[in-house]
Amino acid sequence: MALDPRLARMSDSRTAVPPQPPPPPPPIESTQQQEPSEEVTATPNGAVQDSRFRPEDGGFKLKFCTVCANNQNRSMEAHLRLSLASYPVISFGTGSLVRLPGPSITQPNVYPFNVISYDQMYSELSAKDSRLYRANGLLTMLERNRGVKFAPERWQDWPVGKPRLDKYTQDKGSKGSEGGVVDVVITCEERCWDAVVDNLLERGSPLNRPVHVINVDIKDNHEEGLIGGSAILDLADSLNAAAREEREKSGEGGWTEGTGDARTGFDQRVPEVLAEWQERWPNLAALWTLAWF
């Protein structure tokens, strides 16, 4: 008896092995450097310590200043990173007032510089709407900031060369920056770089001391702030290594005054160091100029 072709097709469909799915595509490697995990570790005596902390090695350290618009996100993340690496560091904002996001774009939270502490801002925003400000990251940011220094400071109000004593001695990175001068200013946005350079010109260079002003363009959000903090620390390490080499080669004479062979050699190497750093961080555009306090 002949086989019904319909039954044959049904039999084939029951025994057919389904095709294997194609293999997954290989993972795409990111070209951007990844942010190291932020963890705390216990020291032998039981104290909790940030894993990014780098013990002081006793060698020479450049003095740094970090600057953004509000002295809240980008400059403070960089301030923290540099202080944990044992660099003397201070930080400022260039805006007329501190402006933080509010319940709507037309209702920001506005504070004066130099007066209202990070702790006061934290308490006020927590009382207003803790759920909102925890969700948008403001309370987490202010928690970090109040552990770094007292309050946001304004660049234009900084009396360069005046000793930073009293309340400033509790700031992270205060050791070594008591003299009120720095070797390198790092801004986090081009308009902040413009404001710093213009202000230095307006001051008229009363100290006649050179200072390198570098901009690392960082978007003003928490994620980019973390990446930018790592990039600025990498730049600081490279600049400090060049400064140490020049001081070992030519001696320390005149460095404090911004003169001498070591200082001249370092000043000439900064563009080269910055170019090498830019190759490692191609997504962060940089600007540089040599100015004077």
Side-chain angles (χ1 to χ4, degrees):
M1 183 174 71
L3 180 65
D4 188 335
R6 293 172 298 179
L7 296 176
R9 284 196 298 269
M10 292 177 62
S11 176
D12 292 343
S13 65
R14 293 191 190 99
T15 58
V17 178
Q20 293 295 320
I28 300 175
E29 294 185 1
S30 172
T31 58
Q32 189 177 51
Q33 298 202 25
Q34 297 296 314
E35 174 66 18
S37 60
E38 297 179 14
E39 300 177 351
V40 292
T41 56
T43 57
N45 61 6
V48 174
Q49 180 172 287
D50 195 307
S51 62
R52 296 167 295 177
F53 176 75
R54 188 189 305 171
E56 172 62 57
D57 60 8
F60 171 78
K61 294 285 188 180
L62 288 170
K63 300 176 179 64
F64 291 94
C65 171
T66 60
V67 181
C68 67
N70 294 299
N71 198 199
Q72 289 282 353
N73 179 30
R74 298 162 293 179
S75 64
M76 287 299 286
E77 178 63 27
H79 185 144
L80 176 62
R81 292 297 184 90
L82 292 172
S83 68
L84 290 173
S86 301
Y87 285 109
V89 57
I90 56 180
S91 61
F92 297 95
T94 58
S96 57
L97 293 165
V98 177
R99 291 178 171 84
L100 298 177
S104 72
I105 193 171
T106 59
Q107 297 175 291
N109 294 286
V110 181
Y111 303 96
F113 278 101
N114 312 316
V115 178
I116 306 299
S117 71
Y118 294 114
D119 194 60
Q120 289 173 283
M121 295 178 193
Y122 180 91
S123 298
E124 181 178 313
L125 295 182
S126 294
K128 282 184 176 180
D129 192 336
S130 61
R131 182 176 179 181
L132 169 65
Y133 296 118
R134 178 66 64 183
N136 68 9
L138 280 187
L139 293 182
T140 302
M141 180 184 73
L142 290 169
E143 283 176 342
R144 175 200 64 195
N145 294 353
R146 65 183 181 176
V148 175
K149 67 177 193 175
F150 175 73
E153 300 174 75
R154 188 169 184 258
W155 166 272
Q156 292 87 339
D157 300 332
W158 175 32
V160 178
K162 181 180 178 179
R164 293 174 60 85
L165 305 174
D166 302 324
K167 62 180 181 181
Y168 300 113
T169 59
Q170 303 302 314
D171 296 351
K172 287 187 181 297
S174 62
K175 183 179 179 181
S177 63
E178 301 93 342
V181 292
V182 297
D183 301 300
V184 181
V185 176
I186 301 178
T187 63
C188 302
E189 188 176 345
E190 188 170 347
R191 64 173 175 151
C192 299
W193 186 80
D194 290 337
V196 166
V197 173
D198 289 345
N199 179 256
L200 289 174
L201 290 173
E202 292 171 3
R203 292 177 187 245
S205 309
L207 303 181
N208 197 31
R209 179 189 172 95
V211 58
H212 293 272
V213 186
I214 299 171
N215 183 66
V216 177
D217 211 35
I218 304 168
K219 293 179 181 179
D220 193 8
N221 60 59
H222 302 300
E223 293 76 14
E224 295 295 329
L226 291 171
I227 295 171
S230 295
I232 288 175
L233 177 57
D234 181 33
L235 177 58
D237 287 340
S238 298
L239 291 169
N240 198 69
R244 284 188 177 185
E245 291 172 6
E246 293 300 321
R247 286 166 60 92
E248 292 171 0
K249 180 173 67 176
S250 303
E252 304 174 7
W255 183 278
T256 304
E257 296 76 25
T259 61
D261 293 340
R263 181 67 197 225
T264 300
F266 169 71
D267 291 343
Q268 293 173 347
R269 289 182 60 182
V270 168
E272 176 186 348
V273 171
L274 185 59
E276 293 173 353
W277 172 90
Q278 186 73 88
E279 292 180 358
R280 299 193 297 273
W281 299 87
N283 295 328
L284 299 176
L287 292 171
W288 163 83
T289 191
L290 181 62
W292 277 262
F293 280 133

